[in-house]
Amino acid sequence: MSSSLERYTDRFEQYAERHPRIVDVAVVAALMGSAVLGSSLTLPGVEPVDQDGAGSTVMGVACLALLQYRKYPRTTVVVTTLCTVIVIQLGYLITPLLLAPVMAALYSLAVLSDRKTTRVYGFTVTAVVMAGAVLSDSMETFQPLLQTVGPLFWLLLPIAAGNMTRLRRAYLKAVQARAEHAERTREEEARLRVTEERMRIARELHDVVAHHLALANAQAGTAAHLALTDPWQTQKILTDLTGTTSSALRELKATLGLMRRSDGPGSPPLEPSPGLDRLPDLVAACASAGVATTVTTEGEPRPLSPGVDLTAYRIVQEALTNVTKHAAAETAHVRLSYVGSRLLITVTNDGPAYTAAFGVEQSRGFGVMGMRERAQSIGGELRAGPRPEGGFEVSTALPLQPFSSHPWGSLDHSDSAEAEAEVEAEAETEAEGEKP
């Protein structure tokens, strides 16, 4: 029953918003009829008041004042109250029909005004009408209590109904505002997710393609240089070049497969994402490109989360790639230090001093920027710059467990993917770590 009433109420309010003047005229006409009918009612055995239509005229003025209740709700209350008090003093019997105009004015005031204004005007109008009822000749046959209870009840009723209507409208407006805000937030979040995913894919493809192409280019150049003087070494380098290109194809296939993966039950497992356990292969590839790389570990190695493990490997990979591409160096050093709850990684090369400026120029590209974004995405930090004694240095401090400050929380679902290949858990954890 209440739901049906609310539905009809909503329909009436919608119609009133579209055609306010028609509704106002209809309400005023109904109230005028009620007031005329109320002015004709008397107590049993009492002659009706004969004022030559004065009461009907005054109540007509009160009803016509209601046409301006939207613009002047307070003035409307004052006019209808004065008219009601006048007809009471003329001797008309106080009935709900006679009080209908002032009741409508109080209701509109409660709907359109704040609670404090409604309380002040409501209590004032109630007191004035009750005083008029006590002093009226038409109510002298009643006890003082009965003279005041009736007007008090009928005047407080529209105030309570108006307050409920105002609160209901405020609630519906707040719900609508929250829904609109949620819709805007959802659209912004979707756009942000798309942008972040594009950045993550770009970083991943850069790390995979740039590293292997740089090694392949260096290996091909070295093989061309040694082709006539050292055929055996040339053959070995070309064999390593085949391994480099094969590794590039595998990682590229794994990256593209992750983007195309449908997560269906029949989806094939993906290859594991690389981690620090692949450092020996990375060192061997750099050696075949002419850069001898040493790796030292300080402290007791501890297990890393998949996201941190992948980030650490990618940073070392990109740093060694820059050494191979840009530094006139034959050696590079990688130092891993486990200190407290952090992993410190330092990659240096012993190139001549003039290559430092070239390294700074390269730091403006996507390589160093991508390394810094990777480190910051899991709560770490990275520094890159020339060394005073020559060469270039990249140092980073990574937490053993990733720290994500993403506004809508972690996107890691690796716990629920333990039944699938280990790479899926690592890839999804990286997706969490890549959030800026």
Side-chain angles (χ1 to χ4, degrees), residues 7 11 29 80 122-123 137 159 164 201 204 218 223 263 290 311 328 356-358 362 369 376 382 386 391 415 419:
R7 183 168 61 253
R11 292 179 180 177
T80 54
F123 289 164
D137 295 337
I159 296 177
M164 292 179 60
I201 294 172
E204 193 67 24
D263 292 333
T311 300
F358 191 70
Q362 291 301 321
M369 181 178 66
Q376 293 175 350
L382 182 138
D415 293 339

Side-chain angles (χ1 to χ4, degrees), residues 110-344:
V111 171
L112 300 177
S113 303
D114 58 276
R115 182 178 300 180
K116 181 179 179 181
T117 302
T118 302
R119 185 182 300 114
V120 172
Y121 277 80
F123 289 164
T124 302
V125 171
T126 303
V128 171
V129 173
M130 290 172 58
V134 172
L135 300 177
S136 175
D137 295 337
S138 62
M139 303 289 290
E140 62 183 3
T141 59
F142 295 95
Q143 296 293 330
L145 180 61
L146 296 178
Q147 294 176 0
T148 57
V149 168
L152 175 64
F153 172 77
W154 290 113
L155 293 178
L156 291 182
L157 184 61
I159 296 177
N163 285 329
M164 292 179 60
T165 302
R166 186 186 71 252
L167 293 176
R168 180 173 175 272
R169 290 181 179 178
Y171 171 75
L172 294 177
K173 185 177 180 180
V175 170
Q176 183 179 3
R178 286 197 298 268
E180 294 176 353
H181 176 72
E183 184 66 23
R184 290 194 303 269
T185 303
R186 188 180 302 109
E187 294 176 356
E188 293 173 359
E189 179 178 325
R191 288 194 297 268
L192 181 60
R193 285 175 179 264
V194 171
T195 302
E196 290 174 344
E197 187 64 15
R198 290 174 58 187
M199 293 177 60
R200 187 189 72 82
I201 294 172
R203 282 197 297 267
E204 193 67 24
L205 291 177
H206 174 272
D207 291 342
V208 173
V209 176
H211 167 69
H212 290 290
L213 286 182
L215 286 181
N217 180 69
Q219 289 171 339
T222 305
H225 179 71
L226 299 177
L228 298 178
T229 60
D230 195 346
W232 183 86
Q233 183 66 21
T234 301
Q235 184 179 2
K236 182 179 182 300
I237 293 176
L238 292 177
T239 303
D240 294 339
L241 177 60
T242 303
T244 300
T245 55
S246 299
S247 177
L249 290 175
R250 286 195 304 270
E251 288 200 34
L252 189 59
K253 181 180 179 180
T255 302
L256 296 178
L258 179 62
M259 290 186 288
R260 294 177 176 176
R261 186 173 176 83
S262 61
D263 292 333
S267 300
L270 302 175
E271 294 185 2
S273 297
L276 292 180
D277 57 337
R278 293 196 186 181
L279 275 184
D281 298 335
L282 183 61
V283 170
C286 291
S288 65
V291 179
T293 305
T294 59
V295 180
T296 59
T297 303
E298 300 177 0
E300 181 181 357
R302 274 170 277 177
L304 304 176
S305 67
V308 174
D309 196 17
L310 176 63
T311 300
Y313 176 81
R314 291 302 189 197
I315 290 176
V316 175
Q317 181 188 54
E318 179 62 27
L320 293 179
T321 300
N322 288 340
V323 174
T324 305
K325 292 169 56 179
H326 307 301
E330 297 181 354
T331 60
H333 308 280
V334 179
R335 185 174 74 251
L336 308 177
S337 301
Y338 293 86
V339 180
S341 61
R342 302 179 77 81
L343 170 62
L344 307 180

Side-chain angles (χ1 to χ4, degrees), residues 83-106:
C83 294
T84 303
V85 172
I86 291 174
V87 296
I88 291 175
Q89 295 303 313
L90 291 176
Y92 289 94
L93 181 65
I94 302 178
T95 63
L97 296 176
L98 195 67
L99 295 176
V102 69
M103 291 172 61
L106 289 175

